[in-house]
Amino acid sequence: SQQGEEDPQALSIQEGENATMNCSYKTSINNLQWYRQNSGRGLVHLILIRSNEREKHSGRLRVTLDTSKKSSSLLITASRAADTASYFCATTPAGGFQKLVFGTGTRLLVSP
Amino acid sequence: EPEVTQTPSHQVTQMGQEVILRCVPISNHLYFYWYRQILGQKVEFLVSFYNNEISEKSEIFDDQFSVERPDGSNFTLKIRSTKLEDSAMYFCASSATTSSYEQYFGPGTRLTVT
């Protein structure tokens, strides 16, 4: 598999439910970030977690990072219809300058 | 809130033509990037730029591509002779410093090569 693979590829939930997306990567990293992309639009930075951190919160977002398993998860609590979007993890490889290596993304659909 | 802007939002060009995509990064940012996203695929890194030179580039960024910061505000991506496979969404991004890895993306330019 390639650096940055998310699962599931698609997730459909009801408003108010929690959504969990997972990301796996293959190489050592400096940090991992999550971005949201509404259909056909730009990427919006959500949260960054550094390689020496295990968990981070921002509003309704909770991100975990397990460097031993090379994996991360993004939890969106109490989802809203406005959360409908694609979510991508992006890693900054250790030793890399600053380029981001994006995953394949999870398409989240939140129904009212 | 400061944001990255890109022009045009949509560019249609014929194969073999040159195109220039323009970006205005956030004003106090020092690092600039171009990424592309072919429809339905993942976002791919093209090039990073710092201190008026390319700091890193991907295999995609071949001799047909070039970047420039012609003045204190604009950052451009030029494709010299477009191919059908260059059709994609092109995103510009910027970040403040090496200690701050958050990259802020523009809304993208959709390039269609016919």
Side-chain angles (χ1 to χ4, degrees):
Chain A
S1 59
Q2 298 179 19
Q3 180 86 339
E5 298 249 331
E6 285 95 325
D7 78 88
Q9 290 187 336
L11 180 61
S12 185
I13 59 175
Q14 299 289 315
E15 262 190 330
E17 294 180 339
N18 295 341
T20 299
M21 290 160 263
N22 303 295
C23 166
S24 62
Y25 57 92
K26 295 184 76 67
T27 65
S28 297
I29 61 172
N30 286 326
N31 64 66
L32 185 144
Q33 305 179 49
W34 286 89
Y35 286 83
R36 184 184 75 223
Q37 184 181 37
N38 290 83
S39 180
R41 306 292 296 276
L43 294 148
V44 175
H45 181 268
L46 296 176
I47 194 166
L48 178 150
I49 186 166
R50 303 195 188 281
S51 58
N52 60 354
E53 297 176 310
R54 291 297 166 257
E55 187 171 315
K56 203 160 182 181
H57 296 255
S58 177
R60 294 184 296 114
L61 305 180
R62 173 179 169 252
V63 170
T64 62
L65 179 65
D66 187 335
T67 53
S68 67
K69 295 181 180 178
K70 292 187 169 58
S71 67
S72 173
S73 68
L74 171 68
L75 169 67
I76 304 174
T77 60
S79 62
R80 305 166 183 166
D83 295 329
T84 295
S86 290
Y87 291 81
F88 296 89
C89 70
T91 54
T92 303
F97 192 68
Q98 269 199 316
K99 73 176 184 184
L100 293 176
V101 178
F102 280 83
T104 50
T106 293
R107 292 188 312 279
L108 175 65
L109 173 63
V110 183
S111 302
Chain B
E1 185 176 329
E3 59 182 17
V4 177
T5 59
Q6 290 186 242
T7 55
S9 58
H10 191 190
Q11 173 93 44
V12 181
T13 189
Q14 289 190 326
M15 195 167 50
Q17 296 296 304
E18 174 184 288
V19 294
I20 297 176
L21 309 183
R22 291 183 166 79
C23 168
V24 179
I26 294 173
S27 62
N28 63 344
H29 283 188
L30 301 176
Y31 296 83
F32 314 112
Y33 313 85
W34 284 101
Y35 294 82
R36 78 173 186 189
Q37 184 180 32
I38 295 171
L39 187 63
Q41 298 186 22
K42 62 171 69 177
V43 177
E44 302 173 288
F45 168 78
L46 292 178
V47 66
S48 59
F49 191 85
Y50 169 69
N51 200 26
N52 283 319
E53 61 182 24
I54 291 173
S55 46
E56 192 171 0
K57 62 183 181 179
S58 72
E59 295 174 351
I60 303 167
F61 195 87
D62 61 22
D63 292 343
Q64 293 297 315
F65 292 87
S66 61
V67 289
E68 192 179 31
R69 188 154 163 82
D71 53 42
S73 59
N74 290 284
F75 180 51
T76 62
L77 173 69
K78 181 192 290 187
I79 309 175
R80 289 189 183 83
S81 179
T82 51
K83 306 169 190 168
L84 293 176
E85 55 264 36
D86 292 328
S87 294
M89 191 76 134
Y90 288 80
F91 294 106
C92 173
S94 68
S95 63
T97 68
T98 51
S99 64
S100 161
Y101 289 94
E102 293 92 342
Q103 294 186 18
Y104 294 87
F105 283 74
T109 292
R110 180 169 299 284
L111 176 66
T112 302
V113 182
T114 61

